[in-house]
Amino acid sequence: MSYKTYDTYETINNSFLKQMPKDWGMFKLKFLINTLESGKRKDFENETFAFSIGGEHINWNGTLNLKNERYVSEDFYNSMSKGKICKNDTLLVKDGATIGKTAFVDDLPQKMVVNEHVFILRSNKLLNPKLLYYLIFSNLGFTQIKLTETGSAQGGISQSIADKVKFIIPINLTHQQQIVDYLDKQTARIDATIVKNEELIQLLEEKRVTLINQVVTKGLNPDVPMKESCVEWIGEIPEHWKINKIKKYFYIYNGSTPKNNEENWNGNIDWITPADYKTSDTYINNSSRKITKKGLNSCGTTLVPKGSIIVSNRAPIGTVAIANVDLCTNQGCKSLVIKRDINTKFVYYVFSINEKELNKLGRGTTFMELSAYDLGIFPIPIAPDSEQKDIVNYLDKETSKINQTVSKIKENIKLLEEYKTSLIHHVVTGKIDVREEVI
């Protein structure tokens, strides 16, 4: 697709841009805004007066996620001299791992504030409020903001961004509105397509769960006589199947973390944490960190053999994978090592659909944790060995088809997100003239 460029450009002295359209100007951020402030938060139980926005409420795609509700009281709200959100504000995460996430407040359904981890940016009369958001969201804005980050353990940005970040903008406000109208229209189309793709992924993942659940509890023969399992999530099973506890087939080992001594780390033993595998990963092939034999011995954890099942026992409880190498784990995982014949891939499929059931077994006050005892008594359906093999072969084939389709859709979503980012960047940096597109 070809785009129209501006008729005339002029050279500028800028580290990121070499030219800008005629009748545009280059400004430091501080000359385009009249507000750059963060707020504070004190949580109050049973309060619903003012929603408190933190970094967790801002998505990378520029939207707000208000599911994790946090509120401040009316008295606390009234005591705040800064941090109260207005319609058409731009919000920017200012510290932590998600510095640079931004969102535009196009609707204010209730009183809202930001906490100490989020900046409010409010444009002045020189700049269209929504264009400020697009500038901050763009690659140009994100790159400049990240370059001002200071600190190593917990990085952050300060109000110095107002003096260090520069943008080019049309001087004419009507021209600015045309840019906003164009980007609103185009990004809405892209976002709608992404949502449809995400909904399709969800349907496919639900189909996968339904398929696995049907086969590991009912088998492949629809005509076989059935009996009641007396386990709610399993329901009926083939008459010749059994229900047994995990501990009958597996030893269960806890993980641990070596002391932070140089001799314990950077060895050749894979040390797995829940972050090293995801729900969609069947096998664990390596870890982000490795320990030495001394590290293994010092913390008393166990080297578990290839083929063992690894289950996360802290939030999120129930994420499961199969070890494709000999490894050990941290305390966030439990290892199931075979002690009598069973098809581990069959058990993997059983666990892969039971994250909710395993979560129900979690106990604790500070955080929920799945104990070795509760994992050991978890009931699973047991088919004869030959049927386990047939079920695994069938599920490998059918889930592979679903996974391939999901992967293609995810790749398409990635391309759409990249196109959206690129489009915004090219429009707000004057590489594309969109004025005729919105007439």
Side-chain angles (χ1 to χ4, degrees):
M1 184 176 182
S2 60
Y3 293 101
K4 184 178 183 297
T5 59
Y6 288 88
D7 294 331
T8 308
Y9 289 86
E10 58 185 67
T11 302
I12 57 176
N13 182 20
N14 184 270
S15 301
F16 301 95
L17 301 172
K18 301 304 179 186
Q19 59 181 14
M20 68 178 178
K22 186 180 179 182
D23 299 325
W24 285 41
M26 183 168 64
F27 300 88
K28 288 184 177 182
L29 178 60
K30 67 181 181 181
F31 296 121
L32 301 174
I33 59 175
N34 56 30
T35 299
L36 175 59
E37 63 187 34
S38 58
K40 55 185 177 178
R41 174 190 285 166
K42 181 178 179 182
D43 291 324
F44 294 88
E45 292 185 7
N46 304 317
E47 287 284 351
T48 58
F49 183 76
F51 197 106
S52 178
I53 297 288
E56 69 274 19
H57 298 113
I58 299 175
N59 299 320
W60 280 110
N61 66 359
T63 60
L64 289 175
N65 176 7
L66 304 182
K67 291 182 180 180
N68 181 21
E69 298 179 350
R70 307 288 292 272
Y71 291 94
V72 297
S73 69
E74 183 174 2
D75 287 343
F76 189 82
Y77 176 86
N78 290 334
S79 73
M80 294 178 65
S81 59
K82 296 180 180 180
K84 296 178 181 178
I85 299 174
C86 298
K87 186 177 179 180
N88 294 329
D89 281 347
T90 292
L91 309 181
L92 175 66
V93 178
K94 61 186 283 289
D95 50 43
T98 58
I99 291 173
K101 284 198 303 183
T102 185
F104 183 72
V105 183
D106 56 3
D107 183 36
L108 201 65
Q110 66 177 104
K111 293 185 183 298
M112 304 178 83
V113 298
V114 294
N115 70 4
E116 64 274 18
H117 304 294
V118 177
F119 274 140
I120 293 174
L121 292 90
R122 194 169 296 144
S123 63
N124 60 25
K125 62 183 180 180
L126 294 178
L127 183 63
N128 182 293
K130 189 66 176 287
L131 183 54
L132 171 61
Y133 158 74
Y134 281 124
L135 289 167
I136 297 294
F137 182 90
S138 70
N139 280 337
L140 177 63
F142 181 79
T143 300
Q144 291 186 85
I145 286 168
K146 288 291 287 183
L147 285 173
T148 71
E149 181 180 347
T150 58
S152 53
Q154 181 76 5
I157 58 175
S158 68
Q159 291 185 333
S160 67
I161 63 171
D163 193 55
K164 295 178 180 179
V165 174
K166 295 180 181 179
F167 294 115
I168 60 170
I169 61 168
I171 303 301
N172 185 283
L173 288 173
T174 299
H175 189 172
Q176 292 183 22
Q177 186 63 53
Q178 289 172 323
I179 288 176
V180 168
D181 291 344
Y182 175 82
L183 288 177
D184 281 352
K185 181 179 179 181
Q186 297 302 320
T187 58
R189 287 177 178 175
I190 296 169
D191 289 341
T193 305
I194 290 174
V195 168
K196 289 180 180 178
N197 277 286
E198 290 172 339
E199 290 172 347
L200 182 54
I201 287 175
Q202 184 175 351
L203 289 173
L204 286 167
E205 289 177 341
E206 290 172 356
K207 178 182 177 181
R208 179 172 54 205
V209 169
T210 301
L211 172 68
I212 294 172
N213 184 70
Q214 174 67 25
V215 175
V216 300
T217 60
K218 306 295 182 286
L220 296 171
N221 182 359
D223 300 319
V224 69
M226 306 294 285
K227 66 179 180 182
E228 181 55 51
S229 71
C230 297
V231 178
E232 184 178 355
W233 73 263
I234 297 175
E236 290 188 330
I237 59 172
E239 199 171 57
H240 61 291
W241 285 27
K242 297 180 291 184
I243 299 293
N244 276 325
K245 297 173 181 177
I246 282 293
K247 66 180 181 180
K248 182 173 182 178
Y249 299 94
F250 296 93
Y251 299 104
I252 301 175
Y253 296 113
N254 295 318
S256 185
T257 300
K259 291 183 178 179
N260 196 26
N261 297 335
E262 186 176 345
E263 63 182 7
N264 292 334
W265 296 94
N266 301 317
N268 57 7
I269 298 174
D270 285 290
W271 181 73
I272 299 297
T273 74
D276 287 314
Y277 63 101
K278 303 173 184 177
T279 305
S280 58
D281 296 334
T282 302
Y283 294 99
I284 301 174
N285 295 303
N286 52 61
S287 60
S288 57
R289 298 188 69 186
K290 298 181 187 293
I291 64 174
T292 62
K293 188 173 182 179
K294 282 188 176 181
L296 181 68
N297 295 333
S298 71
C299 64
T301 191
T302 304
L303 187 66
V304 299
K306 177 181 178 179
S308 300
I309 296 176
I310 311 300
V311 182
S312 62
N313 60 273
R314 295 179 181 177
I317 293 174
T319 304
V320 62
I322 299 173
N324 211 23
V325 292
D326 294 348
L327 52 79
C328 63
T329 77
N330 79 339
Q331 56 270 35
C333 303
K334 283 184 166 54
S335 304
L336 278 61
V337 179
I338 294 176
K339 66 179 177 181
R340 61 185 299 175
D341 285 344
I342 192 169
N343 191 309
T344 55
K345 191 69 175 291
F346 177 82
V347 179
Y348 161 81
Y349 277 123
V350 173
F351 274 137
S352 72
I353 58 167
N354 273 295
E355 191 170 329
K356 288 184 179 179
E357 294 298 321
L358 291 168
N359 263 278
K360 291 178 184 178
L361 302 178
R363 304 181 188 185
T365 52
T366 305
F367 56 85
M368 301 299 288
E369 185 170 10
L370 177 64
S371 70
Y373 174 80
D374 288 327
L375 180 58
I377 64 173
F378 187 76
I380 61 171
I382 302 295
D385 292 348
S386 60
E387 284 189 59
Q388 289 181 33
K389 183 178 180 180
D390 290 342
I391 287 170
V392 166
N393 290 337
Y394 174 79
L395 287 177
D396 282 351
K397 180 180 178 181
E398 295 303 313
T399 59
S400 177
K401 295 176 184 176
I402 296 173
N403 292 341
Q404 288 175 15
T405 303
V406 169
S407 294
K408 290 179 181 178
I409 297 172
K410 287 182 177 179
E411 182 61 29
N412 188 46
I413 290 174
K414 182 181 177 182
L415 292 173
L416 286 167
E417 289 173 339
E418 289 174 352
Y419 171 64
K420 173 183 173 180
T421 301
S422 176
L423 180 65
I424 292 172
H425 175 76
H426 282 77
V427 172
V428 301
T429 56
K431 294 179 173 63
I432 300 175
D433 184 354
V434 300
R435 288 174 293 182
E436 294 181 1
E437 300 292 332
V438 292
I439 294 176

